[in-house]
């Protein structure tokens, strides 16, 4: 079962990739969908086995590397954290695979696209089942490779090629930090195997070592380097610029990257290393501040975007910020809880947006939509469910997971915790606003599309709608069902039943009965470690009433304000944008991060590249190397060719000169050498 979960998508990729011409597009679609659906089914079975029965295990496949003290096995780790990630990845990926059959029906390279999706899924599975840092890095880079192929899938578009390159390069910046973190981990712990590292974490909590000429706290340094890798992969502020541009790929790619796979890798990494981060409080504070700023900044940008996919992309970035500041306040279970619920409703929103784009003849600008909800009612309902979950409205999945994060931040009772709480509240207000801005601009009001588009408006086929129903089910019920397991309190209840018998002074007592409860301690087992003094999730259950209700209030305010601006008072949005023009420009231009990076890094890199290309390569290397040698050879050849006249006397004259030179040299040697 374990091998089927991990390697079924790989087998599907190899079959579709190597034998695509033989089996055809239909065969490639069948093989890839079947592989991921099988993996999803067994992932659910694995989840039940690991969580309810506590059957965690590590399966060693082979020795991968062995050099002195450096030992790396190729092993698959199955614990509670892995089980959650397996379900998230494979269920969402299965929905995306099936959805792609309809969405990519007119594409000429359907087989190749499906193969790339399966490769992406396999790489992510290798990442979350890794039992050591080197194996994790393999999956980490595999995801990066697959994302490059998928983002740039429509390589006939220059924008897609640039977006793929941008995603690849920005992620390599973060991965450089991750690589240094892996090296530093081996230096400190003498191993890259997870269990061996975590067992030594408390012992190494006071260790310092020399890094770049500074005496630094070892675990803090390691944690910050690992976090640097997570910042790139999970698009946190500073290395986030690749994420919106990833929309250049097909919509199913957007759903896969943003909901279940690539961007969640950073959250998973930090949760996996909770035993190390717990002894690095400064690193946790950095994670909290960066996550909170990410949630806020991304929400401000989402307010002003008009591309339907980009609005949802910035909401992804904002929700990832919530997950990171949850980790920063040691609420690891809450972070993974939101990761799971977010995967359902975010995939639902992306695929719902894809259904809108499909219906609107590939139109993505919300300013050219409107008045279409009656024409695509199923898509409309699905988008409502996803938006309600994203806004954190009661009874929907996001309500349970996002609110516990905000409560945990408040319960942290620290300056950075309060900073994260209020930034999260502000982001919640803006999230609700831009979610209903999207709904209203897309589905309500007067139609703004051309007559040609409106004439061809149609609901998506069942092969696209059915995955939306599966995801909507998760967006509706996942929060309520899994709340107790992910973030609930109390490990076990010991029920002691006393039966007193009137036999003088003697009493008969029954043995204690240990009854299982659906709770976070049993759920997570040893997969996540939180020091007792840092258990903000437990403390979150006791925060004041107003803290629990404030996210709902601001969400309702955001929704109401969106109705006022975009439905009841048409034209008010333009007036507000004009009244706050500088702020609107700042948000619309994404805080000018792209322009800043272009001026500081891109322009300088191009100049340096041109210098080395012209001065270094062409004039120096080629000038003195191949070009110089060939030029010299041609000139010398031109000189010596003049002696090839064909006249006998000229050849005899040259021979005499040569003979005279030889005799002169011999006489010189005899005179000087004495012989």
């Amino acid at each position: 079962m374990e091998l089927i979960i991990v390697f079924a998508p790989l087998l599907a990729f190899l079959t579709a990739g190597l034998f695509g011409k033989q089996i055809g597009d239909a065969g490639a679609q069948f093989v890839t969908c079947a592989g991921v659906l099988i993996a999803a089914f067994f992932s659910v079975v694995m989840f039940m086995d690991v969580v309810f029965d506590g059957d965690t295990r590590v399966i060693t496949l082979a020795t991968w590397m062995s050099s002195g003290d450096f030992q790396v096995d190729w092993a698959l780790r199955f614990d509670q954290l892995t089980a959650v990630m397996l379900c998230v990845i494979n269920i969402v990926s299965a929905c995306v695979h099936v959805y792609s059959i309809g969405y990519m029906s007119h594409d000429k390279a359907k087989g190749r696209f499906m193969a790339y999706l399966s490769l992406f899924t396999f790489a992510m599975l290798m990442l979350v089942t890794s039992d050591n840092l080197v194996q994790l890095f393999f999956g980490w880079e595999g995801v990066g490779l697959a994302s490059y192929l998928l983002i740039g899938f429509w390589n006939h578009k220059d924008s897609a090629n640039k977006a793929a390159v941008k995603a690849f390069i920005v992620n390599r910046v973060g991965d450089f930090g991750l690589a240094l973190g892996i090296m530093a981990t081996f230096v400190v712990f003498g191993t890259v195997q997870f269990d061996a590292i975590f067992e030594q974490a408390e012992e190494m909590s006071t260790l310092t070592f020399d890094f770049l000429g500074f005496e630094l706290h070892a675990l803090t340094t390691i944690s910050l380097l690992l976090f640097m890798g997570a910042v790139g992969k999970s698009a946190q502020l500073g290395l986030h610029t690749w994420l919106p541009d990833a929309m250049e790929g097909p919509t199913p790619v957007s759903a896969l990257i943003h909901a279940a796979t690539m961007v969640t890798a950073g959250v998973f990494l930090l949760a996996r290393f909770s035993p190390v981060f717990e002894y690095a409080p400064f690193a946790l504070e950095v994670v909290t501040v960066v996550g909170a700023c990410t949630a806020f900044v991304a929400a401000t940008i989402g307010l002003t975007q008009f591309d339907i996919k980009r609005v949802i992309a910035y909401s992804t970035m904002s929700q990832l910020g919530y997950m990171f500041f949850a980790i920063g306040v040691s609420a690891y279970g809450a972070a993974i809880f939101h990761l799971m619920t977010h995967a359902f409703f975010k995939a639902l929103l992306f695929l719902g947006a894809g259904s809108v784009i499909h219906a609107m003849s590939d139109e993505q600008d919300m300013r050219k939509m409107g008045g279409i909800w009656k024409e695509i009612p199923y898509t409309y309902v699905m988008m409502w469910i996803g938006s309600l979950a994203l806004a954190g409205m009661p009874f929907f999945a996001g309500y349970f997971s996002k609110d516990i994060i905000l409560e945990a931040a408040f319960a942290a009772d620290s300056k950075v915790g309060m900073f994260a709480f209020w930034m999260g509240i502000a982001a919640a207000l803006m999230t609700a606003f831009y979610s209903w801005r999207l709904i209203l601009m897309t589905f309500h009001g007067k139609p703004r599309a051309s007559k040609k588009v409106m004439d061809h408006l149609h609901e998506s086929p069942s092969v696209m709608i059915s995955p939306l129903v599966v995801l909507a089910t998760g967006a509706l019920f996942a929060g309520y069902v899994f709340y107790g397991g992910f973030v609930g309190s109390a490990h076990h209840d010991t029920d002691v039943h006393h039966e007193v018998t009137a036999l003088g002074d003697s009493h008969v007592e029954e043995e204690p009965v240990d009854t299982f409860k659906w709770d976070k301690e049993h759920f997570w087992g040893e997969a996540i470690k939180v020091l007792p003094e840092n258990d903000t999730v437990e403390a979150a259950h006791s925060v004041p009433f107003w803290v629990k209700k404030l996210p709902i209030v601001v969400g309702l305010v955001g929704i109401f304000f969106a109705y006022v601006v975009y439905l009841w008072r048409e034209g008010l949005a333009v007036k507000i944008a004009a009244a706050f023009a500088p702020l609107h420009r700042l948000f619309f231009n994404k805080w000018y991060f792209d322009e800043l990076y272009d001026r500081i890094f891109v322009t300088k890199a191009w100049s340096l590249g041109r210098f080395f290309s012209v001065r270094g390569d062409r004039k120096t290397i080629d000038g003195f190397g191949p070009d110089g040698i060939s030029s010299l050879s041609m000139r010398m050849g031109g000189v010596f060719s003049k002696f090839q006249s064909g006249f006998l006397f000229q050849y005899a004259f040259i021979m005499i000169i040569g003979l005279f030179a030889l005799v002169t040299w011999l006489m010189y040697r005899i005179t000087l050498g004495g012989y």
Side-chain angles (χ1 to χ4, degrees), residues 166-177:
K166 187 176 184 178
F168 193 84
I169 293 175
V170 172
N171 273 274
R172 297 295 78 72
V173 175
D175 294 353
F176 176 71

Side-chain angles (χ1 to χ4, degrees), residues 47 250 385 575 579:
F47 179 87
I385 294 173
K575 294 179 181 178

Side-chain angles (χ1 to χ4, degrees), residues 171-353:
N171 273 274
R172 297 295 78 72
V173 175
D175 294 353
F176 176 71
L178 176 60
L180 289 178
I182 295 172
M183 298 174 194
T185 301
F186 182 74
V187 169
V188 173
F189 294 96
T191 180
V192 293
Q193 203 274 327
F194 290 154
D195 285 336
I197 295 171
F198 301 155
E199 288 172 1
Q200 302 178 60
E202 184 175 5
E203 180 185 343
M204 299 293 184
S205 60
T206 58
L207 180 69
T208 61
F209 74 148
D210 183 76
F211 184 80
L212 299 177
F214 298 94
E215 193 71 17
L216 302 175
H217 183 241
L219 297 193
T220 298
T221 305
I222 290 171
S223 298
L224 290 175
L225 289 171
L226 295 178
F227 175 59
M228 183 177 174
V231 167
K233 195 68 74 182
S234 294
Q236 293 300 282
L237 197 64
L239 295 179
H240 67 281
T241 55
W242 69 270
L243 189 64
D245 290 7
M247 300 299 96
E248 290 295 336
T251 296
V253 174
S254 304
L256 198 58
I257 289 177
H258 289 71
T261 51
M262 188 169 175
V263 295
T264 64
V267 182
F268 167 80
L269 173 63
L270 269 58
R272 173 65 78 200
F273 268 77
S274 59
V276 175
F277 274 86
E278 283 296 280
Y279 297 103
F282 177 74
L284 287 175
E285 290 181 352
V286 173
V287 174
T288 304
V289 173
V290 172
C293 291
T294 301
F296 179 84
V297 171
T300 61
I301 300 173
L303 295 173
T304 59
Q305 302 303 303
F306 293 103
D307 186 306
I308 187 171
K309 288 170 64 177
R310 285 182 180 266
V311 174
I312 303 173
Y314 279 109
S315 80
T316 298
M317 178 181 162
S318 184
Q319 299 307 304
L320 286 167
Y322 279 93
M323 300 175 206
F324 272 91
F325 77 68
I327 287 173
V329 297
S330 296
Y332 306 96
I336 300 300
F337 187 30
H338 196 50
L339 183 155
M340 184 267 292
T341 61
H342 173 265
F344 286 111
F345 63 73
K346 187 51 56 72
L348 176 62
L349 285 171
F350 266 115
L351 296 187

